[in-house]
Amino acid sequence: MSDHRGELEGKVAIVTGAAMPGNIGAATAEVLAREGARVVLADVTGDQLADTTAALAAKGYSVACQVADISSEDAVKALIAFTLEKFGRLDVIDNNAARTSPEHDLLVGDMEVEWWDRTFAINTRGTMLMCKHALPAMIKGGGGSIVNISSGTVLGGNFFSTAYASSKAAVESLTRYIATQYGPQKIRCNAVSPGPVMTSSLEKGLSPEMREIFRRHTLTGDYAKPSEIGEAVSFLASDRASFITGQVLQVDGGIGAHLCTSTDLAELMSQGM
Ligand SMILES: NC(=O)c1ccc[n+]([C@@H]2O[C@H](COP(=O)([O-])OP(=O)(O)OC[C@H]3O[C@@H](n4cnc5c(N)ncnc54)[C@H](O)[C@@H]3O)[C@@H](O)[C@H]2O)c1
C-alpha cells in the first residue's frame, strides 16, 4: 500500500539545507514531494545537491534545485525568484538549513565571537531572510505555511552547542512573531524541534559512547529517522494543520518530556531499590 496521501497536491515548497542524502533536509524534500508538492531543494554548495535532486526526479517527483547561502539576502531573493519562475507560486518553506559544530561550539568562556556571529548569521538571520522574502509571494498566492526547524538543545543547558542552541531559541521566538504578524494574511508559522536524529552525518561522526547517551534518554528507545522529521514538517505544511500556528512541535522521542533524574531512577528501580 502506498503511503502517499497527496495532501500537498498543487503546492510549491522550498526546503533549505537539502543537499545531503540521508539527512533531514533531503528526507523532508522527499516526503513533501511524495505528498504531491513541487519542491525546490536549496543548499549552500552544489556538491551533492544536483545528485540528490536528480535522484528524486528519477522517482517521478517534480523537483528543482538552487545553490543559495541563506545568510545572504541577495542569495535568498534569488532563491525565491528562481522558485516563482520555475513553479509559478510558493506555498511552503521549510527552513531546515543550519550550522553546527561540536568542536567549535563549547563553553561560553571559550566562545569565539566570529563563530557565534556566523552561527546566528546562518541559523537565525538566514531563517528570518527566508521568511522575509517568501512572505510576499505566499500572501499573493492566498496564504501559506512556514516551518522553521529548531532543536531540542533549546530545552535546557548543556556543555556543547551553546551558540547553536541560542540561535535556535531565537528561531522559536521568530516563529511566534511571524505567526502573530502575518496570521491575518493566512500565513501559518510553526517550528519543528527535533530530538536526536540518526542522519548520515551523525552515523559517521558520533562516537559509540555519545550515541548511547542520547539513545538511553529517548523514551521511544532510539534515534529518529530523518523522514520522521519530514513527516512532521509535511503535516504542518498541509491543510490538515489549518488551525495550528505559532507552535513548537517537539519531535524528539520524548527526550524533552521527562525530568533528567528519571533515567537514573528507572535504573535504580530496576535493581529493586
Ligand atoms: N540531526 C539531529 O539530530 C538534529 C537534531 C535537532 C535539530 N536538527 C536540525 O535539523 C536540521 C537539519 O539537520 P541535519 O542533521 O540534517 O544537518 P546537516 O548539517 O546535514 O544539514 C544542514 C544543511 O544545511 C546546509 N547549510 C549550512 N549552511 C548553509 C547556508 N548558509 N545556506 C544554505 N544551506 C546551508 C548544509 O550544507 C547542510 O546540507 C538543522 O536545522 C538542525 O539544526 C538536527
Side-chain angles (χ1 to χ4, degrees):
M1 196 180 74
S2 165
D3 50 4
H4 170 257
R5 299 166 190 253
E7 60 189 24
L8 299 178
E9 218 69 67
K11 295 190 194 290
V12 173
I14 299 174
V15 180
T16 62
M20 186 96 75
N23 285 14
I24 296 170
T28 300
E30 177 153 10
V31 173
L32 300 185
R34 186 200 72 203
E35 292 306 322
R38 287 167 287 163
V39 184
V40 172
L41 290 81
D43 211 296
V44 68
T45 67
D47 312 348
Q48 293 187 305
L49 182 62
D51 289 351
T52 300
T53 308
L56 291 181
K59 292 184 179 181
Y61 298 133
S62 196
V63 288
C65 64
Q66 168 89 343
V67 172
D69 175 351
I70 57 158
S71 68
S72 149
E73 188 153 26
D74 286 345
V76 168
K77 279 187 202 165
L79 172 59
I80 305 298
F82 170 82
T83 305
L84 293 174
E85 196 177 316
K86 181 82 192 162
F87 291 131
R89 55 183 298 115
L90 180 57
D91 305 277
V92 174
I93 55 170
D94 174 34
N95 287 315
N96 169 81
R99 179 189 215 191
T100 50
S101 168
E103 301 90 51
H104 286 89
D105 193 6
L106 298 164
L107 307 183
V108 169
D110 302 325
M111 185 64 64
E112 292 164 27
V113 168
E114 189 277 331
W115 177 263
W116 176 273
D117 288 349
R118 191 69 191 134
T119 303
F120 272 74
I122 296 170
N123 300 2
T124 312
R125 186 172 81 206
T127 299
M128 180 277 294
L129 287 174
M130 282 294 299
C131 297
K132 176 181 172 185
H133 292 290
L135 278 164
M138 293 170 107
I139 291 167
K140 196 171 168 205
S145 173
I146 296 170
V147 185
N148 295 327
I149 303 302
S150 182
S151 162
T153 55
V154 165
L155 296 173
N158 215 330
F159 295 96
F160 62 97
S161 295
T162 308
Y164 169 78
S166 304
S167 72
K168 292 289 191 175
V171 165
E172 293 192 3
S173 194
L174 177 70
T175 299
R176 290 184 279 268
Y177 272 74
I178 291 169
T180 303
Q181 293 168 5
Y182 295 94
Q185 284 142 295
K186 304 218 174 309
I187 300 294
R188 293 184 297 104
C189 184
N190 293 288
V192 164
S193 176
V197 183
M198 193 42 76
T199 58
S200 51
S201 314
L202 271 196
E203 188 91 58
K204 280 183 241 141
L206 208 62
S207 69
E209 294 80 12
M210 282 287 277
R211 190 175 175 142
E212 179 54 19
I213 288 173
F214 285 102
R215 197 203 54 73
R216 209 161 61 85
H217 287 280
T218 305
L219 304 182
T220 49
D222 212 342
Y223 285 65
K225 297 192 287 290
S227 63
E228 289 177 287
I229 307 306
E231 296 292 350
V233 173
S234 180
F235 167 66
L236 289 172
S238 78
D239 295 340
R240 281 202 297 154
S242 55
F243 206 50
I244 304 176
T245 194
Q247 303 304 308
V248 179
L249 178 61
Q250 308 294 331
V251 184
D252 68 351
I255 200 167
H258 62 107
L259 292 175
C260 52
T261 46
S262 73
T263 312
D264 293 341
L265 283 172
E267 250 173 50
L268 213 59
M269 285 162 73
S270 73
Q271 291 159 18
M273 289 180 236

